[in-house]
């Protein structure tokens, strides 16, 4: 198995070289737009939307616990 792992690492290093037409790992040519909800080219919009993730995770966890009946 370790031989296979080293072979895969060598393959990806060799195929990623710009000399042989490799890429820089960014194969998506345009940014995601999330249905027009968040504009990722606007840094302010991204930074303002970041607090939404932990808040939505906390609300989801709270709802899950309430429906289970365990409460806080």
């Amino acid at each position: 198995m370790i031989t296979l792992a080293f072979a895969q690492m060598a393959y990806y290093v060799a195929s990623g070289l710009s000399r042989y037409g490799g890429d820089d790992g960014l194969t998506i040519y345009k940014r995601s737009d999330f249905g027009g909800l968040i504009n990722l080219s606007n840094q302010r919009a991204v930074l303002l939307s970041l607090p939404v993730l932990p808040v939505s995770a906390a609300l989801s966890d709270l709802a899950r616990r309430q429906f289970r009946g365990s409460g806080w």
Side-chain angles (χ1 to χ4, degrees):
M1 294 304 281
I2 196 165
T3 306
L4 179 61
F6 281 120
Q8 286 179 334
M9 287 191 301
Y11 168 76
Y12 282 107
V13 166
S15 68
L17 293 175
S18 61
R19 180 181 196 183
Y20 301 115
D23 60 359
D24 59 358
L26 301 173
T27 56
I28 300 175
Y29 295 111
K30 76 176 212 176
R31 292 182 179 219
S32 299
D33 59 358
F34 296 104
L37 225 52
I38 302 172
N39 184 5
L40 292 179
S41 62
N42 184 356
Q43 185 179 6
R44 184 180 182 131
V46 172
L47 291 176
L48 290 175
S49 64
L50 283 179
V52 171
L53 295 173
V55 169
S56 63
L59 289 175
S60 173
D61 186 51
L62 178 65
R64 183 180 52 86
R65 289 177 188 227
Q66 290 297 326
F67 286 120
R68 266 195 194 165
S70 62
W72 277 94

